[in-house]
Amino acid sequence: MAIVKPFKAVRATRDKVALVSSKSYEIYTPAEIGAKLDFNPYTFLHVINPGYKYHKQDVTGEQRFKLVHNRYLEFKENEVFKQDKAPAYYIYQKRTPTDNFCGIIAATSVEDYHNNVIKKHEDTLRERELLFENYLKNTGFNAEPVLLTYPDNEVINSIIKKYQNQRAEYEFSTSDKDLHFLWVVSDNNDIEIISNAFEQVNTLYIADGHHRSTSSCLLAQNLAKNNPTHTGTEDYNFFMSYLLSESQLKIYEFNRFIRDLNGLTPEELLIELDAHFRIENRGQELYKPKEKHHFSMYLNGEFYALYLRKSIYNFTDCLSELDAYILYTTVLQPILGIDDIRNASKIVYSQNKSDGLELKTKVDSGEFKVSFGMLPTNISELKTIVDAGLMMPPKTTYIEPKLRSALTIYEF
């Protein structure tokens, strides 16, 4: 039973939302951030780059977090942001040139996270958990929701369709040619229908935002300890999420790029791989896998198809059937010497939404010696692994939609 509830969002006025909301900070290049800060006084990037006001870009740690809070207060004082007077759900639709996503922004429960009603598929880094918890503690808000997914639900779909037939509170386009809509669900009857529908959902799965959710839960634990009147209903006991049905998620794979061959020549690498794979040299023909347990490799100017020798490989559980895990246990760790797959000095990942040519171009540039590609993981694989109490390797899934910051803001 999932606890999902409405909240009073802080959000931009209708006339400014297109200027205020931004992509996630990490997506922008330094040049793009500079241009937006120079020419858009309303962008949320001013809030999360607070040193810009004082021509000081190297503000770090708690000083930066406190300045973020101050810039946020200024946006509220200047009435760029206003808080809704009553709790609401927010139906958000993102329409791209190729896809259409529509779900519900809501407050989800820390208790559900601890009780495994909200399940994660990746381990988090303690250092990043603590950093973001400190950020939340000092700023007092979260501007980017966690992406959660759930089985398709006709009741929830009917409410979403009802509002899609009405005028949206927000309707705006962005420079990446995406179209954004937001509807405010403040009707008490509709709120009750949505809440009751989610009460029938046994599990919510984190699709994106593992560190955000874990840090929110860590903050809630610490605030509860320091609150002698803690009841469990305080705003800090919840975190903002975007709930999207499973059928709407788009999952892409990450390509792997390796900087060296661990002392092997290309010919020696092929001999080592032969123990685990049937290998076909495809020459200059771009090869992309079409089945599970098939891999593409670009090495020394040529594409190869690698087909797992299933009679030799030992399938022990659902994780062992995952292609990213197979590649690690048969190639990356034993042959190429990559024990820590988070170690960017040896391995780099890149999401693959293109035609796969990146496998070739990055190796041909000389930066990497070999690259690997595979089929994307599907939602069924993800759920099976999570429900078995297992964790997927890092950079197994690149999941869309990617959400904008400051479309709705959750205060605690």
Side-chain angles (χ1 to χ4, degrees):
M1 182 178 104
I3 302 170
V4 175
K5 72 168 195 172
F7 68 101
K8 293 187 285 187
V10 175
R11 52 192 181 86
T13 55
R14 182 186 291 175
D15 63 308
K16 295 184 179 65
V17 63
L19 295 170
V20 171
S21 70
S22 68
K23 292 184 289 187
S24 182
Y25 177 76
E26 293 84 2
I27 294 176
Y28 294 105
T29 66
E32 288 173 326
I33 291 175
K36 289 183 177 294
L37 292 173
D38 285 339
F39 300 109
N40 181 0
Y42 297 113
T43 177
F44 187 68
L45 294 173
H46 281 287
V47 175
I48 55 180
N49 288 270
Y52 175 84
K53 181 176 181 178
Y54 303 108
H55 307 288
K56 186 175 175 61
Q57 297 299 316
D58 57 350
V59 183
T60 59
E62 285 200 13
Q63 183 185 40
R64 175 176 173 266
F65 299 159
K66 290 175 181 177
L67 286 175
V68 167
H69 177 71
N70 294 344
R71 296 292 82 72
Y72 175 66
L73 290 181
E74 287 178 6
F75 269 52
K76 293 179 71 175
E77 291 160 357
N78 293 330
E79 297 189 340
V80 176
F81 286 143
K82 293 184 178 180
Q83 186 168 32
D84 287 334
K85 295 181 180 179
Y89 287 117
Y90 303 89
I91 296 173
Y92 169 55
Q93 180 178 7
K94 178 181 178 181
R95 189 184 300 166
T96 76
T98 57
D99 295 303
N100 188 18
F101 309 99
C102 193
I104 296 175
I105 299 174
T108 49
S109 170
V110 167
E111 180 183 352
D112 280 351
Y113 182 90
H114 291 305
N115 293 338
N116 220 27
V117 173
I118 296 175
K119 294 183 178 181
K120 63 180 183 177
H121 69 262
E122 285 184 6
D123 284 322
T124 49
L125 297 172
R126 185 64 173 174
E127 182 180 354
R128 288 190 63 190
E129 291 175 12
L130 294 173
L131 178 67
F132 194 63
E133 187 234 353
N134 193 24
Y135 171 86
L136 294 174
K137 180 177 66 177
N138 280 279
T139 61
F141 70 85
N142 188 7
E144 190 173 338
V146 173
L147 178 60
L148 300 179
T149 191
Y150 61 92
D152 286 54
N153 184 293
E154 283 303 316
V155 174
I156 297 172
N157 288 344
S158 66
I159 292 291
I160 289 174
K161 290 176 183 177
K162 170 184 172 181
Y163 280 84
Q164 285 178 316
N165 290 326
Q166 302 175 14
R167 184 194 178 193
E169 172 70 9
Y170 295 156
E171 180 180 352
F172 64 96
S173 295
T174 45
S175 57
D176 49 11
K177 299 182 180 179
D178 292 343
L179 184 58
H180 305 267
F181 301 88
L182 186 110
W183 293 267
V184 180
V185 182
S186 55
D187 179 83
N188 288 333
N189 185 56
D190 291 338
I191 287 175
E192 184 176 3
I193 291 172
I194 293 172
S195 299
N196 290 341
F198 278 112
E199 284 184 4
Q200 307 307 312
V201 175
N202 293 323
T203 306
L204 298 171
Y205 296 88
I206 299 176
D208 196 13
H210 284 80
H211 283 93
R212 272 171 278 141
S213 54
T214 305
S215 300
S216 295
C217 294
L218 184 60
L219 176 68
Q221 286 180 320
N222 291 332
L223 291 178
K225 289 177 184 177
N226 295 318
N227 182 3
T229 61
H230 173 79
T231 64
T233 61
E234 296 87 356
D235 289 335
Y236 59 71
N237 293 290
F238 299 84
F239 56 93
M240 184 171 64
S241 296
Y242 180 54
L243 297 118
L244 191 71
S245 61
E246 291 173 4
S247 64
Q248 294 191 64
L249 280 185
K250 299 292 182 181
I251 305 179
Y252 301 90
E253 73 275 24
F254 277 96
N255 293 327
R256 273 82 169 134
F257 298 86
I258 316 302
R259 296 189 189 278
D260 65 70
L261 301 185
N262 198 30
L264 301 173
T265 66
E267 293 76 17
E268 289 170 336
L269 174 59
L270 289 169
I271 292 172
E272 292 287 335
L273 292 173
D274 191 68
H276 300 283
F277 302 92
R278 180 167 58 87
I279 304 172
E280 289 183 3
N281 186 328
R282 297 297 184 94
Q284 292 300 307
E285 175 195 353
L286 173 63
Y287 170 69
K288 292 191 71 173
K290 295 182 179 179
E291 296 182 26
K292 278 175 61 66
H293 311 330
H294 292 185
F295 303 84
S296 59
M297 179 177 73
Y298 186 76
L299 171 71
N300 203 28
E302 295 180 304
F303 282 99
Y304 293 84
L306 309 181
Y307 307 116
L308 181 69
R309 298 188 189 275
K310 297 179 184 178
S311 60
I312 296 176
Y313 182 80
N314 186 23
F315 292 103
T316 57
D317 55 25
C318 53
L319 180 60
S320 70
E321 297 180 9
L322 190 70
D323 283 347
Y325 183 84
I326 291 170
L327 187 65
Y328 173 70
T329 56
T330 61
V331 181
L332 301 183
Q333 197 274 337
I335 298 176
L336 295 175
I338 302 173
D339 294 313
D340 180 6
I341 51 179
R342 298 180 189 269
N343 185 351
S345 67
K346 289 190 174 184
I347 184 169
V348 170
Y349 304 88
S350 178
Q351 56 83 9
N352 183 28
K353 293 177 58 181
S354 62
D355 57 9
L357 272 179
E358 186 183 44
L359 288 172
K360 170 181 168 62
T361 56
K362 284 193 172 183
V363 173
D364 285 348
S365 73
E367 184 180 0
F368 303 97
K369 293 297 184 182
V370 64
S371 59
F372 297 93
M374 67 197 84
L375 276 183
T377 303
N378 59 51
I379 187 64
S380 178
E381 286 180 292
L382 186 152
K383 290 173 61 177
T384 299
I385 289 170
V386 171
D387 290 342
L390 302 170
M391 293 290 112
M392 299 173 74
K395 301 297 184 182
T396 300
T397 57
Y398 179 85
I399 296 180
E400 290 195 334
K402 296 302 179 186
L403 305 176
R404 294 185 75 77
S405 296
L407 197 64
T408 58
I409 296 174
Y410 184 80
E411 290 188 345
F412 38 83

